[in-house]
Amino acid sequence: VLLGGDLFHDNKPSRPTLMKCMEIIRKHCFGDRDISVYRLTPSDSEEKLLNYEDPNFNISLPIFTIHGNHDDPTGSGSLSVIDILSINGMVNYFGKSSQVDKVEVEPLILRKGGNTIAMYGLGAMRNERLYRTFSQNDVSFLRPEEEEEEAFNLFIIHQNRVKRGENSFVKPEFIPPFMHLVFWGHEHDNQILPTPVSVGDGTVLITQPGSTVATSLCDGEAGEKNVGILYVKGKECMIEPKVLKSVRPFLCEEISLDDKVIDHDTEMVTSYISAKMDDLLEKVGTTFPNNPKLPLIRIRVRVSHPYNQNTVKRDFLSKGS
């Protein structure tokens, strides 16, 4: 399992949240099943062992993760909740940089069958600071000579992809041209199918899986939530999306009543919005079949005349929220 950061939404998750997370990992990732992925550059240090290399743990499904901006290391010792999971053998934490002004990204080189994958992880940093570090050519990617020609290069990053300020994102030209695939965390929009992006004289593929749950009621969070199965053969790859069926449904729509030919009294407005809500509830049933959870539905209503919105809310509290 490969995670692109933000396993937790809070930097200091509550004890029940941490307990539940550890319970899920123990249930689904611990066991005696053989693991067919092995590291080509084994470490002599016990602190750097992958969890399934450690004889003290029985791991059947290893998790590899970088940190995101919500669960990033802070405070004395620059530690995060991901460090706690890592030292307990529950995840393999990589991509943590000890410096911010000069960053070296060293790959984790894995082999499965006849395929070699070099995973370059870069945990979340302040976007403006990382932009400056990239611009000053102070971000370097180490390439082992013996694997340089053979490996499929995968870059896992957790930063702004969308420009949210003059220097507050990662430009495509910052991506090393030798990468074959970029796994872009942080952005919540579901763009999981790899898309080609021009980098220097070549092209790299970018997959943006998006968030697995809606953390805010905005357009980018609406619709299906996906994970993906990555298939690699040599230097080629393919991602098979898998729709998450247990996620709480969320739909978002905007309407302007000033464009509609209706009287702007409270009763008419309420009737129109109620009809629109019924349409969205029907859409939930077809888009998210057999989902037992009440849907999240947000309708932005633009109207120049005031009306009592509590009337509509009250009618639909039992059907959604």
Side-chain angles (χ1 to χ4, degrees), residues 11 34 64 154 167 175 192 206 213 223 236 243 255 285 293:
N11 188 269
D34 290 336
F64 296 86
L154 173 60
N167 301 321
I175 300 172
I192 195 168
I206 296 180
V213 295
E236 303 296 323
V243 178
I255 58 176
K293 297 181 180 178

Side-chain angles (χ1 to χ4, degrees), residues 170-183:
V170 172
K171 297 194 294 186
E173 50 262 43
F174 290 159
I175 300 172
F178 65 83
M179 293 297 172
H180 298 105
L181 178 66
V182 179
F183 175 177

Side-chain angles (χ1 to χ4, degrees), residues 102-169:
K102 193 169 185 63
V103 178
E104 284 190 348
V105 185
E106 185 176 358
L108 181 61
I109 303 176
L110 305 175
R111 190 169 184 83
K112 182 178 182 181
N115 296 297
T116 302
I117 299 181
M119 296 199 307
Y120 294 80
L122 183 59
M125 300 171 60
R126 282 187 54 194
N127 284 286
E128 296 83 359
R129 177 177 288 166
L130 184 59
Y131 185 98
R132 183 172 65 249
T133 308
F134 266 119
S135 299
Q136 295 172 348
N137 294 319
D138 284 329
V139 179
S140 57
F141 293 79
L142 307 182
R143 301 186 68 186
E145 293 182 5
E146 63 274 14
E147 308 298 340
E148 190 168 322
E149 298 299 326
E150 182 182 357
F152 177 89
N153 298 308
L154 173 60
F155 182 28
I156 303 96
I157 185 173
H158 190 103
Q159 301 291 152
N160 283 349
R161 183 181 178 187
V162 177
K163 187 175 181 179
R164 297 186 175 92
E166 192 60 34
N167 301 321
S168 188
F169 69 114

Side-chain angles (χ1 to χ4, degrees), residues 35-282:
I35 295 174
S36 57
V37 178
Y38 64 93
R39 180 162 53 174
L40 290 185
T41 52
S43 172
D44 295 330
S45 169
E46 290 188 3
E47 293 183 359
K48 295 183 179 180
L49 286 176
L50 298 179
N51 59 355
Y52 59 89
E53 295 174 333
D54 192 325
N56 297 307
F57 296 105
N58 276 350
I59 306 296
S60 62
L61 183 63
I63 297 174
F64 296 86
T65 184
I66 63 173
H67 66 260
N69 60 309
H70 286 277
D71 49 20
D72 59 326
T74 58
S76 176
S78 187
L79 299 174
S80 77
V81 65
I82 307 300
D83 285 291
I84 296 174
L85 295 180
S86 178
I87 200 65
N88 281 283
M90 295 195 159
V91 300
N92 297 297
Y93 180 19
F94 70 113
K96 183 177 180 179
S97 178
S98 58
Q99 300 184 64
V100 294
D101 297 323
K102 193 169 185 63
V103 178
E104 284 190 348
V105 185
E106 185 176 358
L108 181 61
I109 303 176
L110 305 175
R111 190 169 184 83
K112 182 178 182 181
N115 296 297
T116 302
I117 299 181
M119 296 199 307
Y120 294 80
L122 183 59
M125 300 171 60
R126 282 187 54 194
N127 284 286
E128 296 83 359
R129 177 177 288 166
L130 184 59
Y131 185 98
R132 183 172 65 249
T133 308
F134 266 119
S135 299
Q136 295 172 348
N137 294 319
D138 284 329
V139 179
S140 57
F141 293 79
L142 307 182
R143 301 186 68 186
E145 293 182 5
E146 63 274 14
E147 308 298 340
E148 190 168 322
E149 298 299 326
E150 182 182 357
F152 177 89
N153 298 308
L154 173 60
F155 182 28
I156 303 96
I157 185 173
H158 190 103
Q159 301 291 152
N160 283 349
R161 183 181 178 187
V162 177
K163 187 175 181 179
R164 297 186 175 92
E166 192 60 34
N167 301 321
S168 188
F169 69 114
V170 172
K171 297 194 294 186
E173 50 262 43
F174 290 159
I175 300 172
F178 65 83
M179 293 297 172
H180 298 105
L181 178 66
V182 179
F183 175 177
W184 209 298
H186 184 61
E187 300 290 354
H188 287 210
D189 292 22
N190 177 2
Q191 300 177 29
I192 195 168
L193 293 178
T195 55
V197 175
S198 297
V199 175
D201 296 330
T203 301
V204 301
L205 296 174
I206 296 180
T207 175
Q208 181 182 300
S211 59
T212 54
V213 295
T215 58
S216 62
L217 302 182
C218 63
D219 293 340
E221 297 278 16
E224 292 181 342
K225 298 294 186 181
N226 283 13
V227 295
I229 300 176
L230 172 63
Y231 297 93
V232 174
K233 185 174 183 180
K235 303 293 181 69
E236 303 296 323
C237 70
M238 181 189 77
I239 291 181
E240 179 185 355
K242 293 290 185 180
V243 178
L244 296 174
K245 298 180 180 179
S246 60
V247 176
R248 188 177 185 184
F250 169 52
L251 294 178
C252 183
E253 190 162 319
E254 179 175 322
I255 58 176
S256 174
L257 295 184
D258 294 331
D259 298 335
K260 310 299 178 183
V261 185
I262 62 173
D263 295 329
H264 285 82
D265 63 83
T266 299
E267 185 176 345
M268 290 292 292
V269 169
T270 300
S271 177
Y272 181 82
I273 296 175
S274 296
K276 178 60 68 175
M277 181 71 82
D278 284 329
D279 291 342
L280 289 176
L281 286 171
E282 184 176 342

